[in-house]
């Protein structure tokens, strides 16, 4: 969900910064989204009025293409003497992103700056559709655990649920897995002789040791908490790569998907495809293809998990549809 730079302008706007002699601060919207070929008035505010006219300039720090081909910013912006707020007009030319600092060049107002991200988009409707898609995949992923939980509860059995998959998922989805592992210990649950495999145990030990070691490094201040979170995401990515294989193999061996909830797969598939769709639409709408090509890991893994969801669907709906699995207890 990190892709929410789509926030509509002024209302959610926040901002910034800094002090000067009189400790006057400037606030302007942090992000402004505009549709191609339109103009918009953007207002900004000072924390208190100054008794002379303040002249402000834009200092562009990032632009996806030539600034002038994306947006036309005024040469200078004035904050009249005694006024606490003012506005300026910008014209959006073509899709792209520009980040600029609005800052004063008066020496006693040196820190009087605010950062604004201008996002020029193709269509407002597409922006709304993207937000809806965002909610759909968020919901699909959030509830994708429950079909399996329900399946286990209904059958009073965890036979058919591959424990490697489960154990690996523990790293990705702690809450979900705690619930299922909890079920595993409940005495009336049939386990059918299943257990976590040695390979999976090794992988889990590696994953969790890595998590622990980096936790200590973070506690000791050797790495930042942000880096720690990144490392965690690497573990999750690694888990995603291997977690599907044992379950697919087990289904193949049993020639059955009974006990493995297809609801989980369908929701996961919905989440995966919608998140990719959102990446594409958002990139198209804002001409920001580095969302996709700048993060090949995330993109690749999305595709990979969709691939396995399809494998599971083929197993469930085509290959092993007729067979009945006999419980061996
Ligand atoms: C104004 O800023 C200076 C330095 O930035 C600081 O020392 C001072 O305490 C601030 N004054 C107020 C009233 O915030
Ligand atoms: C914006 O204006 C240009 C030239 O005036 C035109 O070619 C283009 O189709 C317009 N785009 C939109 C979205 O109206
Ligand atoms: C911005 O404000 C100016 C002056 O108040 C006005 O003339 C102009 O039409 C406004 N532009 C937009 C896009 O609202
Ligand atoms: C602005 O106010 C300061 C004192 O706060 C004063 O010294 C200065 O002369 C005033 N400037 C103008 C242009 O009124
Ligand atoms: C623009 O920002 C850069 C980097 O922060 C700075 O070096 C430069 O002096 C700024 N230019 C102006 C005109 O403020
Ligand atoms: C990019 O901007 C420069 C001036 O800043 C201009 O000379 C040049 O023609 C622009 N290039 C394009 C492709 O618009």
């Amino acid at each position: 969900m990190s892709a929410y730079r789509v926030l509509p302008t002024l209302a959610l706007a926040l901002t910034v910064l800094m002090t000067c002699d009189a400790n006057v601060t400037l606030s302007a919207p942090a992000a402004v989204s505009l549709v191609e070929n339109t103009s918009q008035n953007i207002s900004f505010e000072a924390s208190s009025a100054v008794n002379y006219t303040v002249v402000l300039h834009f200092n562009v720090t990032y632009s996806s293409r030539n600034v002038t081909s994306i947006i036309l910013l005024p040469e200078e912006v004035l904050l009249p003497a005694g006024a606490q707020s003012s506005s300026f007009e910008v014209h959006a030319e073509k899709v792209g992103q520009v980040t600029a600092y609005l800052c004063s060049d008066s020496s006693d107002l040196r820190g009087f700056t605010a950062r604004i991200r201008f996002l020029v988009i193709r269509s407002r409707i597409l922006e709304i559709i993207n937000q809806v898609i965002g909610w759909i995949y968020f919901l699909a992923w959030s509830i994708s655990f429950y079909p399996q939980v329900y399946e286990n509860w209904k059958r009073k059995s965890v036979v058919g649920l591959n424990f490697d998959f489960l154990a690996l998922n523990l790293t990705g989805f702690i809450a979900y897995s705690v619930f299922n592992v909890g079920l595993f210990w409940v005495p009336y649950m049939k386990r059918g002789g299943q257990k976590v495999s040695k390979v999976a145990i090794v992988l889990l030990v590696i994953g969790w040791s890595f998590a622990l070691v980096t936790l200590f490094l973070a506690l000791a201040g050797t790495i930042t908490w942000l880096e720690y979170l990144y490392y965690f995401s690497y573990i999750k990515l690694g888990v995603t790569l291997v977690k599907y294989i044992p379950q697919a193999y087990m289904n193949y061996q049993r020639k059955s998907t009974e006990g493995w909830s297809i609801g989980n797969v369908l929701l996961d598939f919905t989440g995966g495809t919608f998140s990719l769709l959102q990446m594409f639409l958002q990139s198209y709408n804002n001409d920001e293809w580095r969302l996709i090509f700048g993060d090949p890991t995330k993109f690749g893994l999305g595709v990979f998990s969709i691939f396995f969801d399809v494998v599971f669907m083929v197993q469930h709906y085509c290959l092993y549809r007729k067979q009945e699995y006999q419980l061996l207890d």
Side-chain angles (χ1 to χ4, degrees), residues 52-58 75-78 102-113:
Y52 54 90
T53 296
V54 181
V55 181
L56 298 153
H57 286 109
F58 284 102
E75 274 298 310
E76 59 174 34
V77 176
L78 300 179
L102 183 57
C103 47
S104 127
D105 36 24
S106 140
S107 59
D108 51 340
L109 285 174
R110 198 147 269 160
F112 195 65
T113 68

Side-chain angles (χ1 to χ4, degrees), residues 55-69:
V55 181
L56 298 153
H57 286 109
F58 284 102
N59 191 354
V60 174
T61 53
Y62 171 79
S63 70
S64 57
R65 279 180 297 114
N66 224 348
V67 180
T68 49
S69 64

Side-chain angles (χ1 to χ4, degrees), residues 19-23:
T19 49
C20 61
D21 294 27
N23 296 13

Side-chain angles (χ1 to χ4, degrees), residues 34 36 48 61 70 83 113 122 170 192 203 205 217 229 232 258-259 266 288 312 316 318 321 327:
L34 307 110
E36 279 184 300
S48 62
T61 53
I70 299 172
T113 68
R122 277 179 223 273
L170 184 80
L203 289 174
V205 167
L217 288 179
L229 287 182
F232 235 89
E258 206 199 325
L266 294 178
E288 194 169 13
F312 288 135
H316 187 81
C318 308
R321 198 155 45 120
L327 290 180

